[in-house]
Amino acid sequence: MKITVESQLLAKNLNVLKKVVLNSTTSPILSCFLFKITNAELTIISTDLETTLEIKTKATCSMENGSFAIAAELLIEIVKSLPDDSLVLNFSEKELEIESFSGNYNM
């Protein structure tokens, strides 16, 4: 799965979504964002099991449908440290690679 998105737009959306992300040790999935592609449209979701936030954002997505959960705090730190530029998010079965003008990151 491949997504191209502007770093500033992604950072803004993640900051809104982080309001309901828990740092939960009993259920680690609650400390993640869910990236979901359906019909080439990107949706990012966060939940604390009582409140769920969902944002559909402008992005260029690969045509394949799928979803991927990624640690919220780590992703926020990486994205906010990057300059305003296009990011390419490559999701594979077990990792995320973030490509930007300033470097590549693997999670």
Side-chain angles (χ1 to χ4, degrees), residues 58-102:
K58 289 183 181 180
T60 304
C61 304
S62 59
M63 295 307 287
E64 56 191 287
N65 293 337
S67 58
F68 197 94
I70 192 75
E73 288 302 316
L74 182 57
L75 182 60
I76 289 169
E77 290 302 313
I78 290 172
V79 171
K80 77 178 184 181
S81 72
L82 296 172
D84 188 19
D85 191 17
S86 288
L87 301 177
V88 178
L89 308 175
N90 289 307
F91 293 97
S92 69
E93 192 172 312
K94 294 190 179 190
E95 71 178 14
L96 165 65
E97 179 184 16
I98 301 172
E99 298 174 17
S100 74
F101 181 72
S102 62

Side-chain angles (χ1 to χ4, degrees), residues 3-106:
I3 302 167
T4 304
V5 63
E6 294 299 317
S7 61
Q8 195 171 39
L9 177 62
L10 182 60
K12 177 183 167 189
N13 290 332
L14 296 181
N15 279 329
V16 170
L17 291 167
K18 79 177 183 181
K19 294 175 184 172
V20 296
V21 171
L22 293 178
N23 291 321
S24 174
T25 56
T26 58
S27 189
I29 195 67
L30 296 179
S31 63
C32 295
F33 293 126
L34 177 65
F35 283 72
K36 184 176 171 184
I37 297 177
T38 308
N39 300 324
E41 181 177 68
L42 174 63
T43 304
I44 308 170
I45 303 165
S46 65
T47 187
D48 64 4
L49 295 180
E50 290 183 17
T51 305
T52 300
L53 290 179
E54 183 175 305
I55 293 180
K56 293 181 189 234
T57 189
K58 289 183 181 180
T60 304
C61 304
S62 59
M63 295 307 287
E64 56 191 287
N65 293 337
S67 58
F68 197 94
I70 192 75
E73 288 302 316
L74 182 57
L75 182 60
I76 289 169
E77 290 302 313
I78 290 172
V79 171
K80 77 178 184 181
S81 72
L82 296 172
D84 188 19
D85 191 17
S86 288
L87 301 177
V88 178
L89 308 175
N90 289 307
F91 293 97
S92 69
E93 192 172 312
K94 294 190 179 190
E95 71 178 14
L96 165 65
E97 179 184 16
I98 301 172
E99 298 174 17
S100 74
F101 181 72
S102 62
N104 292 353
Y105 302 85
N106 289 312

